[in-house]
């Protein structure tokens, strides 16, 4: 009888462990929302596009060479804006990017498609990579969380004050 109970308990523990190993359904953050506000006719949900609430992988950055070139959103690339290229997130989405090496985080708006090199999950603007402190390395392991634009507003205002002025 004890053997039967022990086997049953072991089976239940194994099942619970396998379910828990699949990971969380969201990052646990209050600011993880489907994406930036869109017109009612263009509303997209996480379940419809099958977006994950977070993603972990390698980030790279792009800078002066691409300055002024047209992005996938149609706007010119500006290396001092807090923007990024992602292969599948809807253009206009906001993402919190956390450098897993030093814990620094920034908020960026997805305005381009990329990266084109396999194994990378996001291409950040020079300014975003600089805030995360990995411009000298070129690559860094990061975590991406899709967020609403509200948490990003304070950071964007702070960055705008530090932005170089063109004369």
């Amino acid at each position: 009888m004890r053997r039967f109970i022990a086997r049953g308990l072991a089976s239940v523990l194994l099942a619970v462990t396998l379910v828990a190993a699949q990971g969380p359904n969201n990052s646990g953050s209050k600011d993880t929302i489907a994406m930036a506000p869109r017109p009612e006719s263009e509303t997209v949900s996480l379940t419809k596009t099958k977006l994950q609430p977070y993603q972990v992988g390698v980030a790279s950055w792009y800078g002066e060479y691409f300055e002024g070139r047209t992005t996938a959103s149609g706007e010119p690339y500006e290396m001092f804006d807090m923007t990024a290229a992602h292969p599948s997130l809807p253009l206009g989405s906001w993402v919190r990017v956390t450098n897993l090496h030093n814990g620094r985080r920034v908020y960026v708006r997805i305005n381009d498609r990329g990266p084109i090199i396999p194994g990378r999950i996001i291409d950040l603007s020079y300014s975003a990579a600089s805030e995360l402190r990995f411009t000298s390395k070129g690559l860094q392991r990061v975590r991406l969380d899709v967020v609403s634009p509200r948490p990003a507003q304070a950071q964007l205002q702070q960055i705008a004050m530090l932005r170089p002025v063109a004369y």
Side-chain angles (χ1 to χ4, degrees):
M1 181 70 169
R2 286 184 188 182
R3 217 181 251 180
F4 178 72
I5 293 173
R7 284 186 183 167
L9 185 57
S11 297
V12 169
L13 288 174
L14 178 62
V16 169
T17 304
L18 290 174
V19 170
Q22 292 177 359
N25 287 339
N26 66 38
S27 66
S29 173
K30 286 185 179 181
D31 58 352
T32 53
I33 297 178
M35 59 202 68
R38 298 161 98 33
E40 289 300 315
S41 62
E42 292 184 25
T43 301
V44 179
S45 69
L46 281 173
T47 55
K48 185 175 179 181
T49 58
K50 298 182 181 175
L51 299 176
Q52 294 182 354
Y54 69 88
Q55 187 176 12
V56 175
V58 177
S60 53
W61 63 273
Y62 57 126
E64 192 172 354
Y65 177 79
F66 295 95
E67 185 74 17
R69 293 186 183 200
T70 304
T71 62
S73 66
E75 63 191 76
Y77 172 71
E78 171 59 58
M79 65 187 266
F80 293 107
D81 283 351
M82 299 300 280
T83 57
H86 191 276
S88 60
L89 285 173
L91 297 174
S93 297
W94 286 88
V95 178
R96 181 179 62 221
V97 183
T98 305
N99 181 334
L100 296 178
H101 178 71
N102 61 21
R104 294 181 66 86
R105 54 175 70 169
V106 296
Y107 294 90
V108 296
R109 183 174 49 84
I110 304 298
N111 73 337
D112 206 359
R113 292 293 173 221
I116 59 171
I117 298 175
R120 298 184 189 174
I121 62 170
I122 195 166
D123 266 338
L124 298 167
S125 66
Y126 169 80
S127 189
S130 180
E131 286 293 315
L132 292 173
R133 304 251 166 88
F134 78 91
T135 53
S136 62
K137 288 184 173 186
L139 302 174
Q140 187 61 57
R141 191 160 171 77
V142 298
R143 175 185 167 124
L144 309 180
D145 291 280
V146 178
V147 298
S148 74
R150 285 182 300 248
Q153 297 307 314
Q155 180 204 357
L156 293 176
Q157 290 172 352
Q158 199 173 42
I159 296 295
M161 292 176 11
L162 301 174
R163 187 175 175 179
V165 178
Y167 292 100

